[in-house]
Amino acid sequence: MYTTAFLDLPPLRSAAGTVRLPGSKSISNRVLLLAGLSEGRTRVHDLLDSDDTRVMIEALRQLGCGIEHEGGALVVTGLGGRLAAREARLFLGNAGTAMRPLVAALAVLSGQHGGCFELSGVPRMHERPIGDLVDALRSLGCRIDYLGQAGYPPLRLAGGSPRVDAPIRVRGDVSSQFLTALLMAAPLLSANAPVHIEVVGELISKPYIEITLQLLQRFGIHVQRDGWRAFTVPAASAYRSPGDLHVEADASSASYFIALGALAASAQAPVRIEGVGAHSIQGDIRFVEAAQAMGAVVRQGPNWLEVHRGTWPLRALDLDCNHIPDAAMTLAIMALYADGPTTLRNIASWRVKETDRIAAMATELRKLGAEVVEGADSLTVHPLRQVRAAAIHTYDDHRVAMCFSLAAFHGLIEGLPARQPLRILDPRCVAKTFPDYFETLFTVARAEVADIPVLTIDGPTASGKGTLAAEVAQALGYHLLDSGALYRATALAALEAGVDAQDEAALAALAAGLPLRFEPGRIWLGERDVSEDLRREDVGALASRISAHPAVREALRQRQLDFRRLPGLVADGRDMGTVIFPDAALKVFLTASAETRAKRRHKQLISKGISANLATLLQDLQARDARDQTRSAAPLRPAEDAQLLDNSALSIEASVQQVLAWWAQRRPF
């Protein structure tokens, strides 16, 4: 997961390949709470691992549920409709799928068994309305106190005398989660009589109620219904664990990859989405119909979808989106690529989500250069006729971040000026439902190699370029190429194979066939972790010698070029800016005096318990400098357009900030 302050996406050009989606948030949190209320143990498979599910799991643990991991499953030992803990303070982040149902269940249980529970979240959660649910629960006799603004969390649930002597009435036109919460709490009230729930007004987001009803049935609760107006939970209903339950993949998350296929995949190489398909119980699977209406070609099986571009440009829509409230946000981005204005209607629920999504989408679309008309419960988006480099504010809203990643395909629109990068601010917000979203996107999205940004950091031995490059790469969320590791790995393999340092042909063959792979913080040669071996002095000395061989350098050239992958690359070495990546957007030449570098190396070796002589180290560094600067193949020197950085008196933090400042000057944001 990207934890950087921002993530820059270069212009994207095509897409192909297979993605496996994470579990559905809506299903995951419903299943967790139902398992927690049930008698017995429930093994939950394919559970979404995200911020929202983590807060629900922690809440259940605080309430006394057993939580265990068995293999890839989470095992929940339920409370059997009783309270194990009579007091708790539950922090629920910005998870509406945790806050609303827990309020209902705990309000009833605290009234039946006694207890006091406080439920709170992040500031945005305290702006999301809950008053209609509280009013419905108070009508039963539950005692609920607002701890802040009336109508909004945080709340205290402190007993009362819940009773069912009349239908429970709840508004349906603000959030379907209110009805879901009451349906999930109703079996706790049904010991002596059926529980009737009536919906006041138009019920929005009906597909999410279908999910609730189907999951209730899996846990032994058979709800009777009169259309979308009235629901009845029979008397003496009780939750029973189904034993094992598999969570299907998230249909809302599928929308981004359905759109990706519609925009940029070909019939010969479609985007395949696994984990959700024609048999999905989620309403957002109907996003497929909207994508097809806009021109996508979609094939589907029970648990998979394949999508590629059909009509281009896409066809504009005028669509009532009540049936796909979350996935409809993706249509607002697809509208940029349409043949006319697209209007999304009946989306008032967007305003009470993680942010005011109507306002947020309108604001950020305008940053790109789009014409947008914002209504009280609608949004009209015109096709993109101009494009600006934009830094997209994500409002701590996962769906805003994921939707706008698709705007990076603006280069596919004919007639637009030079393609621009796109910046996603706070990419970590996708952790709410899809922590690895951007990594998954980069496995199927493609960019032209020249559009993928590269920063190079060259310099002599012991200048600190490796440390600097690693810190810069981490700050930007880019890949890292430690080119010196390639040469040191070749040197290590040569030492162990007994290859002579002057045998250029044998060394080149060895370099070309190295079974080398890089993992975060570790380097592997075959099945062996050689991270520490590559730092040995004898390995470094031999690497300096064999790097002078043109054949060795050529053998490693393509390996280095292959590191240029989305979203970008920071490469350190001795010829990154002059030979390997001469088109790099930023080139830095890092140096320090030989005396300073020798002292740094001496301190480093001593800290590892390796004896070292400062004078010998200085002599060795000077010899390596001379060899690197005078070799015939790619001699060590700054690129003509390199920024020179002498870090003799700078901390690593100061050096990183300087490089990032230079990089910011080259960005258009």
Side-chain angles (χ1 to χ4, degrees):
M1 180 178 70
Y2 286 91
T3 58
T4 53
F6 58 83
L7 181 62
D8 288 349
L9 306 181
L12 301 177
R13 299 292 297 171
S14 63
T18 300
V19 297
R20 179 79 186 183
L21 298 175
S24 161
K25 177 189 71 169
S26 298
I27 295 176
S28 291
N29 264 355
R30 283 168 171 80
V31 165
L32 285 171
L33 181 54
L34 293 174
L37 294 174
S38 296
E39 189 79 48
R41 300 169 81 246
T42 306
R43 290 172 54 87
V44 185
H45 303 266
D46 304 320
L47 183 74
L48 172 66
D49 179 15
S50 73
D51 288 349
D52 280 20
T53 54
R54 290 187 198 111
V55 297
M56 177 65 93
I57 290 169
E58 180 55 30
L60 294 177
R61 185 180 282 115
Q62 288 182 248
L63 293 172
C65 295
I67 304 291
E68 305 170 77
H69 292 274
E70 289 186 6
L74 184 80
V75 181
V76 181
T77 301
L79 301 174
R82 298 174 296 276
L83 283 177
R86 300 299 173 92
E87 186 173 341
R89 292 184 176 181
L90 307 180
F91 176 79
L92 301 174
N94 199 11
T97 55
M99 175 66 77
R100 276 75 177 263
L102 274 169
V103 164
L106 289 176
V108 170
L109 289 173
S110 69
Q112 291 173 332
H113 306 290
C116 181
F117 302 93
E118 293 185 7
L119 281 66
S120 65
V122 299
R124 174 58 186 171
M125 176 57 80
H126 299 168
E127 298 172 349
R128 298 177 68 178
I130 201 168
D132 293 308
L133 177 60
V134 170
D135 290 345
L137 292 167
R138 282 176 170 173
S139 74
L140 296 173
C142 297
R143 180 181 171 187
I144 304 176
D145 300 320
Y146 292 112
L147 300 179
Q149 182 180 358
Y152 301 87
L155 303 172
R156 179 188 296 115
L157 317 175
S161 301
R163 63 199 180 281
V164 184
D165 50 17
I168 306 169
R169 295 169 60 81
V170 64
R171 283 180 60 184
D173 58 352
V174 176
S175 173
S176 66
Q177 288 178 2
F178 300 160
L179 176 57
T180 280
L182 292 171
L183 287 168
M184 293 173 76
L188 305 174
L189 291 161
S190 68
N192 300 314
V195 179
H196 304 284
I197 303 173
E198 295 181 355
V199 178
V200 179
E202 176 69 18
L203 177 63
I204 64 172
S205 305
K206 296 180 182 70
Y208 286 104
I209 302 303
E210 288 283 8
I211 293 174
T212 302
L213 295 173
Q214 291 202 39
L215 292 176
L216 284 169
Q217 187 167 349
R218 293 290 303 276
F219 282 85
I221 309 299
H222 300 276
V223 180
Q224 302 161 7
R225 56 188 289 187
D226 178 10
W228 297 105
R229 290 291 184 184
F231 302 82
T232 299
V233 174
S237 294
Y239 284 118
R240 297 188 304 274
S241 170
D244 284 76
L245 193 148
H246 290 260
V247 176
E248 70 176 62
D250 187 49
S252 300
S253 295
S255 72
Y256 313 117
F257 296 96
I258 295 169
L260 183 67
L263 294 175
S266 68
Q268 295 73 33
V271 171
R272 181 179 174 91
I273 303 158
E274 297 184 343
V276 67
H279 291 177
S280 172
I281 68 171
Q282 300 168 75
D284 273 346
I285 196 62
R286 292 186 62 190
F287 181 85
V288 168
E289 300 169 12
Q292 290 172 318
M294 294 190 81
V297 178
V298 184
R299 295 178 59 237
Q300 27 187 337
N303 204 37
W304 58 268
L305 304 166
E306 283 188 354
V307 190
H308 64 83
R309 182 196 281 187
T311 302
W312 190 259
L314 298 175
R315 290 189 290 267
L317 286 180
D318 190 319
L319 185 67
D320 184 322
C321 298
N322 182 53
H323 60 298
I324 50 170
D326 284 340
M329 292 176 68
T330 311
L331 297 175
I333 302 299
M334 293 177 70
L336 299 174
Y337 305 90
D339 57 4
T342 289
T343 299
L344 310 178
R345 302 186 188 278
N346 205 0
I347 56 172
S349 64
W350 284 20
R351 295 202 183 274
V352 295
K353 296 287 188 174
E354 283 79 348
T355 187
D356 180 339
R357 286 175 170 170
I358 294 180
M361 295 297 286
T363 299
E364 304 309 312
L365 284 164
R366 291 182 184 117
K367 285 183 183 177
L368 292 171
E371 180 184 346
V372 184
V373 179
E374 176 186 347
D377 67 346
S378 66
L379 192 71
T380 298
V381 182
H382 291 253
L384 204 58
R385 300 294 181 230
Q386 58 176 328
V387 63
R388 295 192 288 264
I392 302 300
H393 180 44
T394 51
Y395 306 86
D396 195 28
D397 189 332
H398 55 132
R399 300 210 183 280
V400 173
M402 292 186 280
C403 281
F404 273 92
S405 67
L406 300 173
F409 284 91
H410 60 75
L412 300 177
I413 302 174
E414 293 184 9
L416 287 185
R419 299 187 295 274
Q420 297 281 4
L422 179 74
R423 173 166 290 182
I424 304 294
L425 299 173
D426 186 25
R428 187 201 173 281
C429 67
V430 301
K432 183 175 177 66
T433 53
F434 200 158
D436 297 328
Y437 170 74
F438 289 106
E439 291 87 343
T440 303
L441 174 66
F442 296 146
T443 66
V444 289
R446 307 284 185 270
E448 292 182 1
V449 171
D451 286 336
I452 299 175
V454 178
L455 294 77
T456 62
I457 301 177
D458 290 316
T461 297
S463 59
K465 58 186 180 295
T467 302
L468 177 59
E471 293 285 340
V472 171
Q474 184 176 24
L476 297 175
Y478 284 1
H479 297 284
L480 174 66
L481 166 57
D482 176 0
S483 66
L486 296 174
Y487 289 98
R488 289 192 296 273
T490 304
L492 177 63
L495 285 170
E496 294 180 344
V499 178
D500 187 271
Q502 299 305 315
D503 190 342
E504 184 172 350
L507 289 168
L510 192 65
L514 282 178
L516 195 66
R517 74 178 191 274
F518 292 82
E519 296 178 357
R522 314 306 299 170
I523 302 173
W524 295 78
L525 190 58
E527 298 304 313
R528 176 177 152 212
D529 183 347
V530 296
S531 308
E532 296 303 320
D533 288 335
L534 297 189
R535 296 297 172 183
R536 286 169 18 198
E537 286 299 300
D538 60 333
V539 172
L542 181 58
S544 178
R545 294 173 62 192
I546 67 175
S547 66
H549 294 311
V552 173
R553 303 194 73 82
E554 186 57 33
L556 294 175
R557 178 184 176 87
Q558 189 58 50
R559 279 179 176 260
Q560 295 171 91
L561 292 174
D562 289 343
F563 274 81
R564 192 171 189 171
R565 304 191 301 272
L566 289 169
L569 175 67
V570 179
D572 87 79
R574 288 168 172 72
D575 63 350
M576 294 295 98
T578 54
V579 176
I580 306 301
F581 299 108
D583 63 338
L586 173 63
K587 303 171 187 176
V588 176
F589 192 84
L590 184 69
T591 190
S593 67
E595 291 77 9
T596 298
R597 290 183 283 131
K599 289 178 181 177
R600 290 174 180 170
R601 179 58 59 85
H602 183 263
K603 182 178 180 180
Q604 182 184 55
L605 293 173
I606 295 299
S607 69
K608 294 182 178 180
I610 302 172
S611 61
N613 180 277
L614 183 59
T616 302
L617 288 173
L618 176 59
Q619 185 178 16
D620 180 57
L621 283 175
Q622 290 171 330
R624 290 194 200 185
D625 287 350
R627 187 162 54 244
D628 290 341
Q629 291 166 2
T630 58
R631 66 188 179 212
S632 59
L636 175 64
R637 58 179 175 79
E640 290 184 2
D641 54 347
Q643 294 280 0
L644 304 181
L645 180 58
D646 187 329
N647 69 349
S648 299
L650 295 178
S651 66
I652 181 61
E653 293 80 9
S655 297
V656 169
Q657 290 306 311
Q658 179 60 76
V659 173
L660 292 178
W662 284 331
W663 182 242
Q665 293 171 7
R666 285 161 171 74
R667 299 277 84 187
F669 304 110

